[in-house]
Amino acid sequence: MKLQFLGAAKQVTGSMYLLELEDGFKILIDCGTDMEREIDFDEPYENKAFFPFDASLINLVILTHAHIDHSGNIPMLYREGYEGQVLCTPPTAELAELLLMDSANLHLRKLKAAQGESRKKHKQMDRLLRKGDLYLQKDVEHSVNHFITIPFSKKFRATENLEITFIPAGHLLGAAHVHLGITENGVKKTLGFSGDVGRKNYPLHIDPQNMPACDYLVCESTYGNRVHEDKESTKKALGDIIKATCIDKPGRLIIPAFSVGRTQAVLYTLNRLIEEDHFPAIRVFTDSPMGKSSTRIYTKYSSYLNQEAREFQAEYDELFDFDNLKFLQTEKESRAIKNYHEPCIIISSSGMISGGRVETHIADNISNTYCTILLIGYAAEGTLGRQLLAGTDHIQVRDREYKVHAQIRKIDVFSGHADKLGLLDFMKVQSPTTLKKVFLSHGEEESMVEFKEALTNLGYQDVILPEKNQTFIL
């Protein structure tokens, strides 16, 4: 059989792997958006396929988790002719629908901007859709109708020769490692795909569980060259910053956070600070309609959360709701925060400060010496989050320049990815003598190189850093 790396090769986003079995059965593992790819509507129109393969010939899609860099191109797959199923866990199905709908709305805004104010014919709209490789809500609705959900740790026989098992990865609600058992010519081969490996003792999420023995393993390496710096608990780390910003002085704390996963972890931690540590009920604004919707999904699937979270819910009833919490829905409500002059906490997306309502809050407060901006996750190159972390003294938000007078803080206790030590723990359950090949993906090249060296030192001899579109015979 053949394994081709179509995304997340020496970069963090765009996870997509094509596995072709000996009998021609084709499986796509993840179908993510390449976040580093820019759409240019001014480029000449070319009527060419979006994928480097015929989508109509794919037999099955397996989705590790809902994040857009793993799920974001699934609607395009159906636009290009795919007619099969998408297998994932139940929470992943609901979170993916939410994220894909949000992506479709963003695409619609881009289309309208590209069209201008004048009315255009449907034909030109379709041309812009093809040119920009975009999809709309109807495409998402068509896609999610083909999602089939499978619980954790239950073998699913997709064909006579293919068994699929989802194993808790801990990275996000419903996130999974994928273990494949494939029988060819009477010989069983096993393949593993890590998805994104979560970290242990994370708020809400269960710890990543061990992958069964594999012949071949694809492992993410996002933090393959770094160890999480903060060793204190999420409560202690967040509590100290809230005290310094909103209790000891009348300031405001802005937390850029992704709507799905990170926002829930922060809200849960705030709730614990109030209930367990008796923190004062500072006004908290959650400025993300999708954050509210994903919080409902987290509540619905609380049985998928860790024991600590379930015990907290049993004692206090609510995981995410507390006094002085307000979810903002409309743009008008969002803008009105500017006129709120009491100490407060604002949680808003996106987490990298790259688009979303958080940009407005940053622009309104970046020159306020009583404001602290707290980065709690990875910020990619080119984002405002990365610029602030680099210590810039001015930033540009929506074509206007601002001086940076606010305090910029960073903690990594809310990072949803395992660090180098966590990734090594994930790998160590695999025997160096029986694991034939390790493929590193979903990481910047520098991270991959260092992680490969660490694996080689542990005795894993065939560690490969695939190039994009490179194919391997297994």
Side-chain angles (χ1 to χ4, degrees), residues 407-445:
Q407 289 193 53
I408 310 300
R409 298 285 302 274
K410 182 183 188 302
I411 54 176
D412 61 15
V413 292
F414 287 100
S415 172
H417 280 274
D419 63 4
K420 180 179 179 179
L421 299 179
L423 290 171
L424 288 174
D425 285 343
F426 172 76
M427 286 296 308
K428 283 176 183 177
V429 299
Q430 303 293 325
S431 168
T433 58
T434 58
L435 184 62
K436 296 177 181 178
K437 292 184 188 297
V438 181
F439 301 97
L440 299 185
S441 69
H442 201 287
E444 295 172 350
E445 186 170 5

Side-chain angles (χ1 to χ4, degrees), residues 3 5 17 178 191-195 211 214 216-220 426-427 435 437-442 466:
L3 177 62
F5 289 77
Y17 317 99
V178 176
L191 280 76
F193 294 84
S194 71
M211 176 81 79
C214 299
Y216 304 94
L217 179 58
V218 178
C219 182
E220 67 113 326
F426 172 76
M427 286 296 308
L435 184 62
K437 292 184 188 297
V438 181
F439 301 97
L440 299 185
S441 69
H442 201 287

Side-chain angles (χ1 to χ4, degrees), residues 319-372:
L319 284 169
F320 310 108
D321 195 14
F322 47 85
D323 290 342
N324 275 353
L325 171 65
K326 181 176 177 59
F327 278 96
L328 306 179
Q329 290 291 109
T330 67
E331 294 277 358
K332 183 179 179 181
E333 288 178 316
S334 178
R335 290 192 299 269
I337 301 179
K338 186 177 182 179
N339 300 316
Y340 185 85
H341 299 299
E342 299 296 321
C344 66
I345 300 168
I346 302 169
I347 306 166
S348 186
S349 62
S350 73
M352 298 186 191
I353 320 179
S354 177
R357 294 184 183 180
V358 73
E359 285 191 350
T360 300
H361 299 303
I362 296 297
D364 290 342
N365 294 279
I366 193 67
S367 299
N368 177 6
T369 57
Y370 279 80
C371 175
T372 295

Side-chain angles (χ1 to χ4, degrees), residues 288-299:
S288 167
M290 186 164 64
K292 185 173 184 179
S293 299
S294 55
T295 298
R296 284 197 293 264
I297 296 173
Y298 264 72
T299 302

Side-chain angles (χ1 to χ4, degrees), residues 144-159:
V144 298
N145 285 336
H146 292 79
F147 279 42
I148 301 296
T149 60
I150 301 170
F152 282 132
S153 305
K154 181 179 180 180
K155 283 186 179 180
F156 176 80
R157 186 172 291 278
T159 70

Side-chain angles (χ1 to χ4, degrees), residues 156-410:
F156 176 80
R157 186 172 291 278
T159 70
E160 183 179 353
N161 298 318
L162 172 63
E163 290 181 342
I164 303 168
T165 307
F166 287 131
I167 300 152
H171 170 71
L172 182 72
L173 183 70
H177 310 310
V178 176
H179 187 266
L180 304 180
I182 300 163
T183 302
E184 294 185 334
N185 298 319
V187 178
K188 186 172 183 178
K189 302 175 185 177
T190 51
L191 280 76
F193 294 84
S194 71
D196 284 353
V197 182
R199 62 190 295 183
K200 296 177 181 178
N201 302 314
Y202 191 81
L204 298 173
H205 300 154
I206 54 182
D207 288 350
Q209 296 186 14
N210 291 341
M211 176 81 79
C214 299
D215 296 316
Y216 304 94
L217 179 58
V218 178
C219 182
E220 67 113 326
S221 54
T222 311
Y223 287 156
N225 65 340
R226 58 161 288 186
V227 175
H228 292 311
E229 297 173 0
D230 297 318
K231 305 302 180 185
E232 56 197 356
S233 69
T234 52
K235 270 206 310 179
K236 178 71 166 58
L238 184 59
D240 286 349
I241 292 173
I242 293 172
K243 184 177 184 299
T245 305
C246 302
I247 298 175
D248 294 344
K249 63 181 181 181
R252 59 173 50 192
L253 176 63
I254 299 176
I255 307 176
F258 294 113
S259 299
V260 179
R262 209 65 56 83
T263 290
Q264 290 72 40
V266 172
L267 288 176
Y268 169 61
T269 303
L270 287 170
N271 199 6
R272 290 188 64 199
L273 285 168
I274 293 168
E275 295 288 359
E276 297 173 344
D277 294 12
H278 309 294
F279 255 54
I282 301 163
R283 172 65 80 179
V284 177
F285 297 104
T286 301
D287 191 13
S288 167
M290 186 164 64
K292 185 173 184 179
S293 299
S294 55
T295 298
R296 284 197 293 264
I297 296 173
Y298 264 72
T299 302
K300 176 180 177 180
Y301 289 102
S302 60
S303 62
Y304 280 74
L305 302 178
N306 62 33
Q307 184 176 347
E308 180 187 68
R310 297 196 306 270
E311 289 176 353
F312 181 90
Q313 185 179 39
E315 182 170 355
Y316 298 104
D317 295 330
E318 296 287 347
L319 284 169
F320 310 108
D321 195 14
F322 47 85
D323 290 342
N324 275 353
L325 171 65
K326 181 176 177 59
F327 278 96
L328 306 179
Q329 290 291 109
T330 67
E331 294 277 358
K332 183 179 179 181
E333 288 178 316
S334 178
R335 290 192 299 269
I337 301 179
K338 186 177 182 179
N339 300 316
Y340 185 85
H341 299 299
E342 299 296 321
C344 66
I345 300 168
I346 302 169
I347 306 166
S348 186
S349 62
S350 73
M352 298 186 191
I353 320 179
S354 177
R357 294 184 183 180
V358 73
E359 285 191 350
T360 300
H361 299 303
I362 296 297
D364 290 342
N365 294 279
I366 193 67
S367 299
N368 177 6
T369 57
Y370 279 80
C371 175
T372 295
I373 298 169
L374 176 62
L375 281 300
I376 61 172
Y378 178 82
E381 196 71 45
T383 63
L384 285 175
R386 179 66 74 93
Q387 291 178 43
L388 291 174
L389 289 174
T392 183
D393 59 2
H394 66 278
I395 59 170
Q396 186 169 307
V397 183
R398 297 170 185 167
D399 299 324
R400 184 175 173 183
E401 193 167 286
Y402 299 85
K403 289 186 177 180
V404 178
H405 294 304
Q407 289 193 53
I408 310 300
R409 298 285 302 274
K410 182 183 188 302

